[in-house]
Each structure stands twice: as C-alpha cells, then as structure tokens.
Amino acid sequence: MDSKRDKASDAAANPAQLHKKMLQLLSSLWVTRAVGSFARLGLADVMEDGAQDAIAIAAARGLMPDRVYRLLRALSTVGLVAEPARGKFTLTPLGRLLGSHAPNNTKTTAVFLNDYFADMWMHLDDALAGERTGFEALKGKPFFDWLREHPDEARRFNRMMLEVHGPETPAIVAAYDFSPFEHVVDVGGGNGALLSAVLAAYPNRRGTLFDMAEAIGAAKREEGGPLPGVSFVAGDVFTTPAPAGGDVYMIRHLMHDYDDPDCVRILGNVRRAMKAEGRVLVLEAPLPSDDSPGPGRWLDLQVMVLCGGRERTVEEYAGLFSQAGLRLNRTVPTQHPAMTVVEAVAADDARA
C-alpha cells in the first residue's frame, strides 16, 4: 500500500507529468468550444439522419470536409462520436444528447454555455475584486434584470434550465413522500414541471405555482406539463407575499442564485405564509462539508460570476433556516447526483 502511495507521489512530483497536467487544464476550453460548435451546427442531427462520412456530414451544413473531419476526430477522444473506420463516424449515446431528437437533450445548454455564459468568465477578475458579478461587467446589468429586458433570451435560458434540471424531477418525486400534504406550493417553480410531476404522482392535491409573470405564462401553456386545478400567483419572491396556507413549499435551485441576506428574505417570506406544521423543501445539491471533490465547487464559481449566488453545505442551509424562523429537520437523498431534499420546519415545531 505504501509503495503505491509512493509511486503516486513520485508521479505527482515528476516535472513532465506536472507540465502535462497543467496543459490539460489549460486546454479544457478547447473541448468546451468544440462541443458547442458541434451542437450549434446541428452535426448530431445530421448524423442521426444517417450521414456517417465526414464529407457527407460537412456537405449537409455547407462546411469544409477536412475541417469537419478534424473536429470529429478530436471529439472522438471525449466520447461524443466514434471513428470505426477512417473518415467514418458514428454518434454515441453521449453525442445524441447534443441533437434535437433525444427527449432529455442538452443542445441548448451546450450552445448557451458557449455564448455569453462563457464570455462572462473573462470577467472573473472583476468578480473577485469587487461587488459586481462577471455578468454585470460583461452586460452592464445584473443577470435577472437583463433577462427581463430580453424575453427571447429568457425563453432560451428557461429551456436550458429544463434541460439541466429536468432529469432531477422524477428523482425528487421518487425520493420524497408527499402523501401527508394536501396543499403543495412551488416557489419560483418556473413552468411548473416539478409541481406537475408531484400532482401526477399524488392526485387530488391542491397545487399553487408562485413565480414571475413570464414563468406563470409558460406554466399556463402547460410547457412543464399538465397542472389541473392549480392556482397561479404571479409575483416577486422578495416583495410579493408567498401563497398562504401551504402544507409544503418547494424551492428548487433558487437559493443558490442569491447571497445569504436575500435567501433569508425568501425563506422568511415562506415562513410567514406556511402553516405552523408545514414543511419547506430546499431542493439543491449541497456541497460536502469535508474536502471531498465534486462539481459543486465549480458550480459555486459559476453562480458567483453569473448572479452573485453561492452553493452551500447543509450546515450553511441550517444557518439560513435559523435566521428565517425555521430549523433543519432532515435531508433526503435522491437517485440523482445533483439533487438532495433539504427539509426545514418551523423553529418552534417540536416534532422530529
């Protein structure tokens, strides 16, 4: 065992290996940009339609065959395509996620993360040095204010959120027992996808969706699924009183968009509205409390640069709950690696 550790230590200290590792880190941008172009140009769709030869794939999009071949050859090293014979490529299951046909595709996300979501990282220095975010340095306004002025981008952003978070929805419904609750309130629930799934699994419940007018419009069009009998409340989670009388309030991927004082305002708004015995479900992917590695540490930087938010540990969520008149009750893991149910109750609720 010690000899294995010694070998690993020797490899880490090897100057050539260190140099190689550093170049791999610095060239990660190349992969991101190549994946973005593959998605934006619709090459996965071309391949799903039957084109396998690099010449035919390029012709379908008016591109240069040799350069398309080189792109596909590079992408074969990260598992998006395979090259069983020179110049002939097949799409892998991973690559299909960048096409238009897969039900849980991530095409919009791949393009979005290569647009201004990538450009704002050029302003990481600004974010580290001052109070404004990288997005503000890039666009001149906070992200959510800018989205309100650009409805087309807001729709595209909402599509990306559906792509990123949609697979979490069945995991939440499977992991958490909603049967004790008659009235389910979704705070900042977007197009209502999560609320729709909960009501489908637990029929004959009352549902209320609380979000900005644009999101409520999408929900009424059933973009997130059927919402039979649901009440819609358009408003701001900070300034509009949360819908009263709920048995359980779901808050999915909203808290991490904001700093601590704003999160306490959101939670306090819900605490004032909920029943005394109600539950608050913060649906996030908490950071580990130890030094375990994980993607959350990078998502933490992303939300910092984008909107000034942050990822948190369970203990940090407990601290926010305490400031809002709530207390941490328990955490419920799910089968999705990016989702944990962090459950809070009223601070004066003596029940376990």
Side-chain angles (χ1 to χ4, degrees):
M1 187 68 120
D2 287 338
S3 93
K4 287 184 179 178
R5 275 199 296 267
D6 290 343
K7 288 180 181 178
S9 177
D10 290 344
N14 184 304
Q17 291 297 323
L18 289 175
H19 187 257
K20 178 182 178 181
K21 177 64 175 177
M22 180 56 68
L23 291 180
Q24 287 174 335
L25 292 173
L26 294 174
S27 61
S28 298
L29 174 66
W30 304 348
V31 178
T32 302
R33 293 301 199 187
V35 171
S37 288
F38 184 80
R40 186 169 44 249
L41 293 169
L43 299 186
D45 289 345
V46 171
M47 295 179 70
E48 286 215 281
D49 288 341
Q52 292 189 339
D53 186 279
I55 296 174
I57 296 169
R61 291 291 185 260
L63 305 171
M64 297 182 66
D66 175 65
R67 294 185 176 184
V68 169
Y69 168 72
R70 291 156 64 187
L71 170 68
L72 297 174
R73 180 177 62 182
L75 290 175
S76 72
T77 69
V78 293
L80 295 186
V81 299
E83 187 181 13
R86 181 174 173 80
K88 302 284 187 181
F89 294 90
T90 58
L91 198 60
T92 67
L94 181 64
R96 289 192 185 93
L97 292 179
L98 296 175
S100 302
H101 307 308
N104 292 317
N105 75 75
T106 56
K107 182 177 180 180
T108 299
T109 304
V111 176
F112 214 110
L113 294 179
N114 275 279
D115 288 351
Y116 48 84
F117 263 42
D119 297 339
M120 70 185 181
W121 276 83
M122 293 188 294
H123 298 279
L124 176 59
D125 293 6
D126 296 276
L128 295 172
E131 293 185 357
R132 68 176 181 172
T133 65
F135 188 88
E136 287 178 88
L138 176 68
K139 296 290 190 180
K141 289 189 175 181
F143 176 60
F144 293 113
D145 292 346
W146 185 84
L147 276 188
R148 278 191 283 273
E149 296 178 1
H150 298 80
D152 289 344
E153 288 303 310
R155 283 189 286 272
R156 198 159 70 106
F157 175 72
N158 289 336
R159 170 62 193 172
M160 182 179 77
M161 290 297 95
L162 183 62
E163 289 181 359
V164 172
H165 300 308
E168 301 165 359
T169 299
I172 294 168
V173 176
Y176 191 82
D177 181 13
F178 288 89
S179 62
F181 310 119
E182 292 299 321
H183 185 191
V184 182
V185 182
D186 198 346
V187 177
N191 64 14
L194 176 57
L195 185 57
S196 177
V198 170
L199 296 179
Y202 296 86
N204 302 318
R205 264 68 179 172
R206 287 177 57 206
T208 299
L209 184 69
F210 177 39
D211 207 330
M212 302 297 283
E214 297 85 350
I216 294 296
K220 287 182 175 179
R221 294 190 295 271
E222 297 193 347
E223 292 182 9
L227 292 166
V230 164
S231 299
F232 299 99
V233 178
D236 187 298
V237 293
F238 299 111
T239 60
T240 305
D247 296 302
V248 61
Y249 289 76
M250 305 184 297
I251 308 175
R252 175 160 70 160
H253 291 310
L254 179 64
M255 305 286 285
H256 76 165
D257 287 335
Y258 296 100
D259 60 15
D260 287 358
D262 280 344
C263 285
V264 173
R265 289 173 64 197
I266 295 170
L267 291 169
N269 190 7
V270 171
R271 174 64 186 92
R272 289 187 294 273
M274 65 189 274
K275 291 181 178 178
E277 67 278 11
R279 295 287 187 271
V280 178
L281 310 182
V282 171
L283 305 168
E284 298 276 3
L287 292 172
S289 300
D290 56 20
D291 62 352
S292 302
R297 297 182 182 210
W298 289 102
L299 182 58
D300 179 55
L301 286 185
Q302 167 72 7
V303 294
M304 179 187 78
V305 173
L306 176 64
C307 54
R310 65 186 306 133
E311 301 300 320
R312 297 174 173 88
T313 64
V314 170
E315 292 80 7
E316 288 170 330
Y317 279 117
L320 297 179
F321 295 153
S322 178
Q323 295 179 63
L326 300 163
R327 66 174 173 83
L328 175 68
N329 192 45
R330 59 173 176 154
T331 60
V332 180
T334 78
Q335 291 298 310
H336 194 286
M339 178 51 58
T340 295
V341 181
V342 184
E343 183 188 69
V345 297
D348 54 2
D349 188 339
R351 295 174 303 168

